[in-house]
């Protein structure tokens, strides 16, 4: 029996003898099935050809990315907290070097994930660290492809994970969430946004989409709700889903002006 992994989006599925016929996440209009068709791999095969590259982004913040690129190509974050390490978002691969490094850093107290595109091999990551609790939003529960007792679906608008706060924003997915860490960046605060907000290439704005690969925008109501959800929280830095997509300063004002720019664009 094998837990097959979708090569397009990187999602790991429950054990089976044969790979699934389709990947529901790729079939949805927020992702896509490659023109070459649906292809599958597994953890053993992936470990033979790929590894995880670490980068210290700032004090207490480490980004992790699969190399060479695999699936969507997102970065996950190992966030050090006074109450234990949090893995924000997830990767399809967990390699032995990363496992040993995290154990040496004190293990994982929790896994928290912004939305279904980054569920990846979340059950495998949790199991490697004593079945650490996995926090996703219950609104996205139907997209879970591998089940576990470690899953802790959030049903409200926010959740305290040690000193961090997971905040439901909606938009990209119904349960799309961000993670607020007020002690980071010398107590100036950091916001980890996944795809809930996409840090733009000029690092001066964030933007919002229902589907990034298929260029489907969000409506005004959804964008206003995202801005409103994070407004009570103070943060200077914004860490996006992809390498280099980091805003270092003025995070609160950038979210506000980004929402204003977006709303003006779709209204004209």
């Amino acid at each position: 029996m094998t837990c097959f992994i979708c090569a397009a989006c990187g999602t790991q599925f429950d054990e089976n003898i044969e790979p699934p016929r389709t990947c529901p996440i790729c079939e949805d209009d927020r992702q896509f099935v490659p023109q070459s068709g649906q292809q599958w791999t597994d953890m053993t095969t992936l470990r033979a050809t790929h590894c995880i590259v670490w980068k210290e982004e700032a004090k207490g913040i480490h980004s992790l990315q699969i190399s060479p690129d695999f699936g969507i190509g997102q970065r996950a974050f190992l966030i050090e907290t006074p109450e234990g390490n949090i893995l924000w978002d997830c990767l399809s691969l967990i390699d032995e070097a990363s496992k040993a490094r995290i154990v040496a850093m004190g293990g994982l107290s929790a896994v928290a994930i912004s939305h279904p595109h980054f569920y990846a091999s979340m059950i495998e990551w949790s199991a490697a660290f004593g079945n650490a609790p996995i926090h996703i939003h219950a609104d996205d529960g139907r997209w879970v492809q591998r089940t576990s007792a470690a899953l802790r679906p959030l049903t409200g608008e926010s959740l305290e994970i040690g000193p961090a706060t997971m905040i439901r924003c909606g938009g990209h997915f119904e349960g799309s969430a961000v993670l607020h860490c007020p002690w980071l960046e010398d107590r100036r605060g950091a916001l980890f946004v996944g795809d809930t907000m996409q840090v733009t290439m000029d690092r001066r704005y964030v933007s919002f989409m229902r589907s990034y690969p298929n260029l489907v925008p969000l409506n005004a109501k959804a964008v206003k709700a995202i801005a409103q959800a994070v407004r009570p929280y103070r943060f200077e830095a914004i860490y996006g889903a992809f390498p280099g997509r980091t805003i270092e300063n003025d995070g609160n004002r950038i979210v506000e002006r980004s929402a204003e720019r977006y709303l003006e664009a779709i209204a004209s």
Side-chain angles (χ1 to χ4, degrees):
M1 300 284 276
T2 301
C3 290
F4 289 97
I5 297 172
C6 171
C9 71
T11 302
Q12 188 182 54
F13 284 64
D14 273 326
E15 279 189 326
N16 212 322
I17 298 172
E18 299 289 338
R21 292 182 61 187
T22 62
C23 173
I25 292 175
C26 290
E27 295 279 348
D28 179 68
D29 71 354
R30 284 163 286 199
Q31 182 53 19
F32 62 94
V33 177
Q35 288 187 345
S36 56
Q38 197 74 63
Q39 297 180 22
W40 303 92
T41 186
D42 57 69
M43 187 67 70
T44 300
T45 303
L46 203 53
R47 282 175 177 156
T49 56
H50 293 69
C51 66
I52 296 176
V53 175
W54 286 60
K55 180 181 178 182
E56 186 173 14
E57 302 283 346
K59 184 178 180 182
I61 304 171
H62 310 265
S63 66
L64 288 68
Q65 189 180 15
I66 297 175
S67 179
D69 277 353
F70 176 78
I72 295 173
Q74 76 271 16
R75 55 182 180 175
F77 291 92
L78 192 287
I79 302 168
E80 300 179 58
T81 93
E83 299 177 30
N85 301 317
I86 298 171
L87 181 70
W88 171 250
D89 283 333
C90 200
L91 302 175
S92 304
L93 171 66
I94 176 168
D95 61 14
E96 292 303 319
S98 295
K99 192 185 302 185
R101 183 168 179 173
I102 294 171
V103 167
M105 295 171 68
L108 287 182
S109 63
V111 178
I113 304 180
S114 60
H115 72 295
H117 287 160
F118 299 160
Y119 286 174
S121 294
M122 60 182 179
I123 306 304
E124 198 106 8
W125 277 86
S126 166
F129 301 99
N131 292 319
I134 304 168
H135 302 290
I136 61 173
H137 202 279
D139 285 353
D140 296 334
R142 70 188 184 97
W143 298 105
V144 173
Q145 304 302 321
R146 186 180 176 192
T147 56
S148 167
L151 286 166
R152 303 283 191 274
L154 164 64
T155 56
E157 298 304 305
S158 65
L159 175 70
E160 302 299 318
I161 306 174
T165 305
M166 186 174 176
I167 307 157
R168 179 194 172 275
C169 296
H172 182 43
F173 273 79
E174 291 80 357
S176 282
V178 298
L179 189 73
H180 180 242
C181 299
W183 73 95
L184 293 175
E185 303 287 341
D186 294 324
R187 298 192 175 277
R188 299 182 309 142
L191 193 70
F192 297 83
V193 297
D195 274 355
T196 306
M197 309 172 201
Q198 187 74 261
V199 174
T200 59
M201 290 298 290
D202 63 8
R203 282 71 165 174
R204 296 174 56 230
Y205 290 89
V206 296
S207 197
F208 317 88
M209 294 287 271
R210 171 179 168 79
S211 174
Y212 290 98
N214 297 314
L215 304 178
V216 181
L218 283 177
N219 60 39
K221 181 180 178 181
V223 172
K224 289 176 182 176
I226 292 169
Q228 182 177 351
V230 302
R231 194 168 288 134
Y233 301 89
R234 302 274 69 83
F235 52 91
E236 284 289 317
I238 301 174
Y239 286 88
F242 298 100
R245 300 292 187 96
T246 301
I247 293 170
E248 296 181 355
N249 297 292
D250 214 15
N252 286 102
R253 192 169 72 88
I254 284 173
V255 171
E256 293 293 337
R257 79 182 190 195
S258 297
E260 290 170 4
R261 182 175 81 160
Y262 186 97
L263 293 169
E264 288 176 7
I266 64 173
S268 58

